[in-house]
Amino acid sequence: MSIYERVITGDELSTLISSFTNRESFKLAVEKIEETTPLDDRAHDESKGFEVIHEDKAEKEDEIPHETTLYLKYADNILIKLTELVWKKSENSKSFFTIDSEVLEKKDAKTVKHKTSIDDGVVAFSKSIDKPVDTELVIPDYLEVSNKEGDISAQDTDIYCFQWDGTGTCCEFRYNGDRDNPLVTYNWCGENCGGGCTDLLETVNFLDACCKIHDCCYKETPGYPLRCSCDQDFIDCARLTDEAGGSRMIIAFQIQMTRHC
């Protein structure tokens, strides 16, 4: 799979913000956030948009999604990520809209991160996770992409672990696409990666453990649509983590589910 990415700026970004924040899903996201902390219709302090084109040699042209992602940050404690997937050339005009919100709440000597995900207008995930007291919410310079080199422009990046045609490899990602962050090489995440649902390979982090569980589910489940539950379980598991490449893996399986489920 190749990813062509660009940052959205200026009037185009303003139009994107207006389009995404006027949707019912966004209103629901705000309601969930205000269960923890008041938002009071205040304006966001930071914003950034990305346009992403996926090219997958294993799929027909009409099965290639167009991805638009918007980040909105409020003060230092609220980050909202809105992503729309649209199959523009598909006869069925398929689309998928998801919102992931994170709210930091200071409690005594720790920080609690409240995470909520809304998929196509339905609350699909909601958990509170204890985090280190110095946890921060940051809008990434680029979306998480697999890139070994110092150049992280990501205008045309191959993600070899999502080839879907039998030629994939283990995933390698830098957290938030930041070239100053270490490259994480997974033992279980990626096509042709892992030990075949055995204990031969250790998991490198919690996300890798999610991938191992997913591999085992695939081994026990023959094809779609039965594998849809495996993919959803992986997405739910990955949403509990905060590891390099996690958001990109979630998007990859949301694409698969929109195609096959």
Side-chain angles (χ1 to χ4, degrees), residues 147-162:
N147 205 314
K148 296 182 182 179
E149 307 302 326
D151 178 15
I152 200 70
S153 64
Q155 295 303 307
D156 178 8
T157 302
D158 285 325
I159 300 185
Y160 296 108
C161 59
F162 298 144

Side-chain angles (χ1 to χ4, degrees), residues 73-139:
K73 186 178 179 183
Y74 300 78
D76 293 323
N77 67 321
I78 300 173
L79 183 64
I80 305 176
K81 177 188 176 188
L82 308 93
T83 299
E84 182 175 52
L85 298 170
V86 178
W87 282 257
K88 291 187 172 183
K89 296 184 179 182
S90 172
E91 294 181 359
N92 298 323
S93 300
K94 292 181 291 187
S95 65
F96 178 80
F97 189 63
T98 184
I99 301 177
D100 300 300
S101 66
E102 299 182 342
V103 179
L104 296 184
E105 183 181 16
K106 303 294 183 180
K107 285 188 174 182
D108 301 324
K110 66 179 181 180
T111 295
V112 178
K113 180 185 282 188
H114 304 282
K115 302 182 70 172
T116 301
S117 297
I118 298 170
D119 295 341
D120 277 338
V122 177
V123 177
F125 177 88
S126 184
K127 293 286 184 182
S128 297
I129 305 167
D130 289 343
K131 302 292 289 185
V133 68
D134 59 350
T135 297
E136 297 180 349
L137 298 177
V138 179
I139 295 178

Side-chain angles (χ1 to χ4, degrees), residues 19-219:
S19 171
F20 279 9
T21 58
N22 280 306
R23 302 191 185 190
E24 290 300 318
S25 290
F26 183 75
K27 297 176 184 178
L28 178 58
V30 170
E31 290 178 7
K32 296 298 293 182
I33 289 170
E34 290 186 330
E35 292 178 4
T36 303
T37 186
L39 201 52
D40 298 329
D41 296 325
R42 58 189 166 109
H44 57 271
D45 297 290
E46 296 179 49
S47 61
K48 194 166 189 177
F50 298 91
E51 179 188 30
V52 180
I53 304 295
H54 301 254
E55 287 197 358
D56 189 339
K57 296 176 182 179
E59 297 290 344
K60 298 178 181 178
E61 185 177 8
D62 62 357
E63 291 298 316
I64 297 173
H66 177 276
E67 175 188 340
T68 308
T69 290
L70 171 67
Y71 282 92
L72 300 174
K73 186 178 179 183
Y74 300 78
D76 293 323
N77 67 321
I78 300 173
L79 183 64
I80 305 176
K81 177 188 176 188
L82 308 93
T83 299
E84 182 175 52
L85 298 170
V86 178
W87 282 257
K88 291 187 172 183
K89 296 184 179 182
S90 172
E91 294 181 359
N92 298 323
S93 300
K94 292 181 291 187
S95 65
F96 178 80
F97 189 63
T98 184
I99 301 177
D100 300 300
S101 66
E102 299 182 342
V103 179
L104 296 184
E105 183 181 16
K106 303 294 183 180
K107 285 188 174 182
D108 301 324
K110 66 179 181 180
T111 295
V112 178
K113 180 185 282 188
H114 304 282
K115 302 182 70 172
T116 301
S117 297
I118 298 170
D119 295 341
D120 277 338
V122 177
V123 177
F125 177 88
S126 184
K127 293 286 184 182
S128 297
I129 305 167
D130 289 343
K131 302 292 289 185
V133 68
D134 59 350
T135 297
E136 297 180 349
L137 298 177
V138 179
I139 295 178
D141 291 332
Y142 293 94
L143 297 180
E144 291 176 310
V145 295
S146 176
N147 205 314
K148 296 182 182 179
E149 307 302 326
D151 178 15
I152 200 70
S153 64
Q155 295 303 307
D156 178 8
T157 302
D158 285 325
I159 300 185
Y160 296 108
C161 59
F162 298 144
Q163 294 294 78
W164 308 121
D165 62 356
T167 65
T169 62
C170 290
C171 291
E172 296 180 310
F173 287 97
R174 298 184 190 276
Y175 185 72
N176 275 351
D178 187 341
R179 62 188 174 189
D180 293 328
N181 287 328
L183 184 72
V184 178
T185 300
Y186 286 92
N187 283 339
W188 291 87
C189 298
E191 189 181 28
N192 296 319
C193 193
C197 194
T198 67
D199 293 324
L200 295 177
L201 292 174
E202 293 184 357
T203 55
V204 300
N205 55 33
F206 188 11
L207 180 59
D208 209 26
C210 296
C211 291
K212 180 180 179 180
I213 294 170
H214 184 258
D215 283 2
C216 293
C217 188
Y218 263 31
K219 185 174 181 179

